[in-house]
Structures are given as structure tokens and as C-alpha cells.
Amino acid sequence: MCDRTVQFSVLCSMLEAVARSKKPALKRKHFRTFFDHVYCDREFFSALRLILPSLDRDRGTYGLKEAVLAKCISDALGLSKESEDAKKLLNWKKGGSSSVGNFPLVAAEILYRRQSASSGYMTIKDVNDLLDRLASAENRDEKTVILSELISKTNAQEMKWIIMFVLKDLKLGVSEKTVLHEFHPDAEDLFNVTCDLKLVCEKLKDRNQRYKRQDIVVGKPVRPQLASRVAGVDDAWKKLKGKRIVAECKFDGDRIQIHKDGNDVHFYSRNFIDHKEYTEGMSAIIIDHVKIEKCILDGEMLVWNRLTNRFAEFGSNQEVAKAAKDGLQTDQQLCFVAFDILYSGDTSVTHQSLSERHLLLKQVVKPLKGSLELLLPESGVGPDNQPCWSMLVYSPEEINKFFLETVENRDEGIVLKDLDSKWEPGDRSGKWVKLKPDYVHAGSDLDALIIGCYLGSGRRGGEIGQFLLGLAERPKHGGYPTRFMSFCKIGSGLSDDERDVLVSKLRPYLRKYEKGSKPPSFYTVTNVAKERPDYWVEQPDKSFVLEITSDIRTIKSEVFAAPYSLRFPRARRVR
């Protein structure tokens, strides 16, 4: 059987069984049975691209998240905006459904009453063809027409899974690694060095035939080597003690893999996406300053400000890339910081030690200040008082000193690497470890008042999952503050029990936000959509203060009324 003959309902039944199963062994058995007894002609890609949608590079993005998908489904069903079902779809987080907070289930409840109970008899190929059309559709109207066709040819259970495919979240309780291993024991290794699910399916059709490990090639993105978290300097030292260690500044940019083959240059993200928007701003520099025809560089794409002679804050990459594409002259330019080389000339060099790869990187790349930089021990550019970017360290004290210097310089943190380690795609075994300000207690916490509440999704669907916090404005004539400006949103740090007790105490003083209504007069807010809570705390004197901690660095705020907000805030306790 192949995708032209296998009924989509068979795949849905298997996924339902996996989702219901509690034991990992039983989940694996369902996959194994499906692969061994359903796809007899070994055409696996059409099914695996649905089971693992986030690994499928052959289909474009749908451009549909829950909010837009709700409107499209509502239109496809011909629902009035004022109908109860339309409101349930659009307010899937807020109640009115037994599946509140889980959009696919909310949609399925509504579809059950409007679709046939029997299967629509679509094949897996039929579904993939329609999903290809959905991804290619250029506007909401076109997407609505295709969703309408899908609804007419499926039942509610099948449509639920299609919605999950579109959202790329199947909630199966198994990892990508598990699914790939059940497909073939060598599937993960091959995917790690090609990031090509279709190629994996074509080469590994026979589970009983082992595949010789393939090396990386130019033009195929590779899963990046990853750094594991550590809680502090002492923890990092324990993991790497006795090894030769290099400490590197962790820049706050986009992790990018540059593949150069002559004049052909690609910029792959850690999600295997080729960022063509970097072509105009960076390709010529890579072609001119990388001395060999073929290579793969691993590094960080950032923005360099020529006026301040330092990197710009995170978030401006796309804007600067667009300016370069449009031929606009600005004070900012793209800058790639290379910290590793994976391929050189005609061979992979991942088997070499990091120290050997550092030497090769220095030989292969000719740096260009502010455009193409190397992250090598004792390197660094900019003003004299800017700390170096990378250095060899021999004690916890040296690690701590380097870490504090990077934090002072408003960088993202540091990465510590074993200089004798080989490069392993997807590896997070501890050869690299990262230390960031938000992993370390800053020593000075902040108190903020809860002024609003947000409904959660998933496990906390229909319940309050996050809080809007405000800072006290200084009273004009002394005394206690009576006004508070919105400052940040927080959702982590408290246990379930602590959160439940807090919410129960707040509930009598909550007022539901209604469209067009004004916030309580005690609060200074921007009232933009990302700030606006589902509930306001009507009386600040009845609210509670949270002690919060965060990344040591602040960020300029466009969402909240306070000029600055926090990165990764979390609650430490209720005051």
C-alpha cells in the first residue's frame, strides 16, 4: 500500500491510539505496526511529513496560527460572527467549551455537529495535495476555500488532526527522536547531517538494512551542536574540570550556518530555513573573504552599528537585511561572527578537535571589521573598553570574571567549550555548556503589583496562566502610590498550588475585559493587543505584590507603559 491507496483515516486512527496510550513502549508499538504493516511499498515520506510536520522542508509555511485559523474555519462553515460557535472558535482560550485552551479540540467539537460521522475516504496523498495548496495560498480567502474543501471531505476527527498538522503540534507525548528511531535506527543520524526528511525516507526504506553514517555536505543544512544549561560557574567547572576550556561570548543574534559553494551562498537557521533575505547584505562579503570554494561556517548573524562601533540590540536583523536588499544606506549593517568551521575544501572537518578547527577557521576566513568576524581566543573589536569575545580559562575565578564582563557589556552570556571535543550534530551532552544571566540569580529582585490576568492554553486552558505586572508611579505629594504603569507579563516561577491560591484570592476583584472598555483609572497602560489582559484587577489595594527576577539586562518596551521591561521574568514568591 502507498499514499495513493492508504486511507487518511488509518493514519488518524494510529495517531489517536498513540495520543491515548500512556506507556512509551505502547506508543512506539503503534508506530512500528504502522510502518511495518501499512506502508508495504516503502513510500514513507508522505506519512512522516504529517507525523513530523516541523521537520518537513518540502512544504512551505501555512501562515496560519490559531487566531487566523479560527476566522478561516468560521468562514468556511458559514458561521455568523455573532453565533455561539463562531465566538467559541475566536475565544478558544476563554471558555464556552469543554476543551477550552486546546484549539484543535474546540474546533473538533464544533465540527462534530456539522460534519458527517463517517470518514470522507480521502487518501494520504489527497490530504498532502490539499495541504500543499493551503501552504501555497496567498491570502485568507484562498486558504478559506481550501479549508472548506477539506471540511467537506473529512469527518471531525480527521479534521482535528489536519488542524494539528497546520499548527505543527500533534501533542502525541513522544519526541521526534523516538518517531525517527521507530522508522529506522539510523534515521536520526542521517537527518542530523542532512535536515532532509524526504531524503531520509528515500534512503532508509528497509529497516533491517543498516546505513553507513553519512558525512555532512555543502548545501544540506546540519543540525547544530548545542550547549547544555548550567546554573552557575561552579556547575560549569564541575562539568568541564580537567579539560582545556575556551570561554566565548554568547551573542544575541540568529544562529546561522553559512554554506558556500563557489558563488552560491546559503544562510540556514537552526530550523533548516534558508534565509535568503541575507543574500544582498552578506553573500558578496562571504564570496570575497572566504578563501576556499567550498565550506560550511557556523556562527551568529548580528547587526553592527558603525556609529557606536558595536553590535546593535537583538531584533533588528530583518530590518537591516531589508534595507540592504532595497539598496538603502544606513548606519547599520549585517555582521556574521563565525565561531566554527564544519567543512573545508572537499571534506568535512567535524572529526577534528575544536582547537584544530579554530586554526583552520583562521586560515580560511579573512575577517572584515563589522561585517565578518571570527570568534577565536583573545579576539574582540570595538572601543578599547569592550571586553574580548573569547579567551582560554583555567579556573572558576577566570570564568566568573569573563561572565561578569559580558553581562556588563549587555551580551547574552557565555558558552564554555571543550577544546578537544569533536563536532556532533544535535549533541547536547555537555561538551559545550552555556551560562546566561537569566539562569543565575541576579542578587537584586524587584517587586511589582499584579494589575491584570491572562488566560492560559494547553494544560492551563480556560484558567489564569499569566499576570500583567505594574510598577508604582512616584506620588506627587508623598505618601503611598496610587497609580501603576504596566511593566511586564509573567507566567513562570510559581508552583501550581501557589498559583491556584493566588488566583482564588484575586478572583473576587477581577473584571473581565470587554471590547471597547477602558482599564481601571489606577493604571497607566498602552492598551495594545499584546498588553491587554483578559481580566483587570479592579482595586490595586486588593491585589498582591510578586517578587520577580529575570535576565539581568532590561529591554526597551513598545508593549508596556514603562519605557523598559524585563527579559525572561519569573516570579520568586508572593509578597
Coordinates of all heavy atoms in Angstrom, one line a residue, residues 217-219 258-264 290-297 341-347 364:
V217 N 27.5 17.5 3.9 CA 27.8 18.0 2.6 C 27.4 19.5 2.5 O 26.4 19.9 3.1 CB 27.1 17.2 1.5 CG1 27.7 15.8 1.4 CG2 25.6 17.2 1.7
V218 N 28.1 20.2 1.7 CA 27.7 21.6 1.4 C 26.4 21.7 0.7 O 26.1 20.9 -0.3 CB 28.8 22.3 0.6 CG1 28.4 23.8 0.3 CG2 30.1 22.3 1.4
G219 N 25.5 22.5 1.2 CA 24.2 22.7 0.6 C 23.0 22.0 1.3 O 21.9 22.2 1.0
I258 N 26.4 29.1 7.4 CA 26.7 29.6 6.0 C 27.3 28.4 5.2 O 28.3 27.9 5.6 CB 27.6 30.8 6.0 CG1 26.8 32.0 6.7 CG2 28.0 31.1 4.6 CD1 27.6 33.3 6.7
H259 N 26.6 28.1 4.1 CA 27.1 27.1 3.1 C 27.6 27.8 1.9 O 26.8 28.5 1.2 CB 26.0 26.1 2.8 CG 25.7 25.2 3.9 ND1 25.7 23.8 3.8 CD2 25.3 25.4 5.2 CE1 25.3 23.2 4.9 NE2 25.1 24.2 5.8
K260 N 28.9 27.7 1.6 CA 29.4 28.4 0.4 C 29.9 27.3 -0.6 O 30.7 26.4 -0.3 CB 30.6 29.3 0.8 CG 31.3 29.9 -0.4 CD 32.5 30.8 0.1 CE 33.2 31.5 -1.1 NZ 34.0 30.5 -1.9
D261 N 29.4 27.4 -1.8 CA 29.9 26.6 -2.9 C 30.2 27.5 -4.1 O 29.3 27.8 -4.9 CB 28.8 25.5 -3.3 CG 29.3 24.5 -4.3 OD1 30.4 24.7 -4.8 OD2 28.6 23.5 -4.5
G262 N 31.4 27.9 -4.2 CA 31.7 28.9 -5.2 C 31.0 30.2 -4.9 O 31.2 30.8 -3.9
N263 N 30.2 30.7 -5.9 CA 29.5 31.9 -5.7 C 28.1 31.7 -5.2 O 27.2 32.6 -5.1 CB 29.4 32.7 -7.0 CG 30.7 33.3 -7.4 OD1 31.6 33.5 -6.6 ND2 30.9 33.5 -8.7
D264 N 27.8 30.4 -4.9 CA 26.4 30.1 -4.3 C 26.5 30.0 -2.8 O 27.3 29.2 -2.2 CB 26.0 28.7 -4.9 CG 24.6 28.3 -4.6 OD1 23.8 29.3 -4.3 OD2 24.3 27.1 -4.5
V290 N 36.1 34.5 2.1 CA 36.3 33.1 2.5 C 37.2 32.5 1.3 O 36.8 32.5 0.2 CB 35.0 32.3 2.6 CG1 35.3 30.8 2.8 CG2 34.2 32.8 3.7
K291 N 38.4 32.1 1.7 CA 39.4 31.8 0.7 C 39.3 30.5 -0.1 O 40.0 30.3 -1.0 CB 40.8 31.9 1.4 CG 41.1 33.1 2.1 CD 42.4 33.0 2.9 CE 42.6 34.2 3.8 NZ 43.8 34.1 4.6
I292 N 38.3 29.7 0.3 CA 38.2 28.4 -0.4 C 36.8 28.3 -1.1 O 35.9 29.1 -0.8 CB 38.3 27.2 0.6 CG1 37.4 27.4 1.8 CG2 39.8 27.1 1.0 CD1 37.4 26.3 2.8
E293 N 36.7 27.4 -2.1 CA 35.5 27.3 -2.9 C 34.3 26.8 -2.1 O 33.2 27.3 -2.1 CB 35.7 26.4 -4.1 CG 36.5 27.1 -5.2 CD 35.7 28.2 -5.9 OE1 34.6 27.9 -6.5 OE2 36.1 29.4 -5.8
K294 N 34.6 25.7 -1.3 CA 33.5 25.1 -0.5 C 33.8 25.1 1.0 O 34.9 24.8 1.4 CB 33.3 23.6 -1.0 CG 32.7 23.4 -2.3 CD 32.4 22.0 -2.6 CE 31.7 21.7 -3.9 NZ 31.2 20.3 -4.0
C295 N 32.8 25.5 1.7 CA 32.9 25.5 3.2 C 31.6 25.6 3.8 O 30.6 26.1 3.2 CB 33.9 26.5 3.7 SG 33.2 28.2 3.9
I296 N 31.5 25.2 5.1 CA 30.4 25.5 5.9 C 30.9 26.2 7.2 O 31.7 25.6 7.9 CB 29.6 24.2 6.3 CG1 29.1 23.4 5.1 CG2 28.5 24.5 7.2 CD1 28.5 22.1 5.4
L297 N 30.3 27.3 7.5 CA 30.7 28.1 8.7 C 29.5 28.1 9.6 O 28.4 28.2 9.2 CB 31.1 29.5 8.3 CG 32.2 29.8 7.4 CD1 32.3 31.3 7.1 CD2 33.5 29.2 7.9
I341 N 34.0 26.0 12.0 CA 34.0 25.6 10.6 C 33.7 24.1 10.6 O 34.4 23.3 11.3 CB 35.3 25.9 9.9 CG1 35.3 25.6 8.4 CG2 36.5 25.3 10.6 CD1 36.4 26.2 7.6
L342 N 32.8 23.6 9.7 CA 32.4 22.2 9.7 C 32.9 21.5 8.4 O 32.9 20.3 8.4 CB 30.9 22.1 9.8 CG 30.2 23.0 10.8 CD1 28.7 22.7 10.8 CD2 30.8 22.7 12.2
Y343 N 33.1 22.3 7.4 CA 33.5 21.7 6.1 C 34.5 22.7 5.4 O 34.3 23.9 5.4 CB 32.3 21.6 5.2 CG 32.4 20.7 4.0 CD1 32.0 19.3 4.0 CD2 33.0 21.1 2.8 CE1 32.1 18.5 2.9 CE2 33.1 20.3 1.7 CZ 32.7 19.0 1.8 OH 32.8 18.2 0.7
S344 N 35.6 22.1 4.8 CA 36.6 22.9 4.3 C 37.1 22.2 3.0 O 37.6 21.1 3.0 CB 37.8 23.1 5.2 OG 38.8 23.8 4.7
G345 N 37.1 23.0 1.9 CA 37.6 22.4 0.6 C 36.7 21.3 0.1 O 35.7 21.6 -0.5
D346 N 37.1 20.1 0.3 CA 36.3 19.0 -0.2 C 36.0 17.9 0.8 O 35.7 16.8 0.5 CB 37.0 18.3 -1.4 CG 38.4 17.8 -1.1 OD1 38.8 17.9 0.1 OD2 39.1 17.3 -1.9
T347 N 36.1 18.3 2.1 CA 35.9 17.3 3.1 C 35.3 17.9 4.4 O 35.5 19.1 4.7 CB 37.2 16.6 3.5 OG1 37.0 15.6 4.4 CG2 38.2 17.6 4.1
V364 N 41.2 30.0 6.8 CA 40.2 30.0 5.7 C 39.5 31.4 5.5 O 39.2 31.8 4.4 CB 39.2 28.9 5.9 CG1 37.9 29.1 5.0 CG2 39.8 27.6 5.6

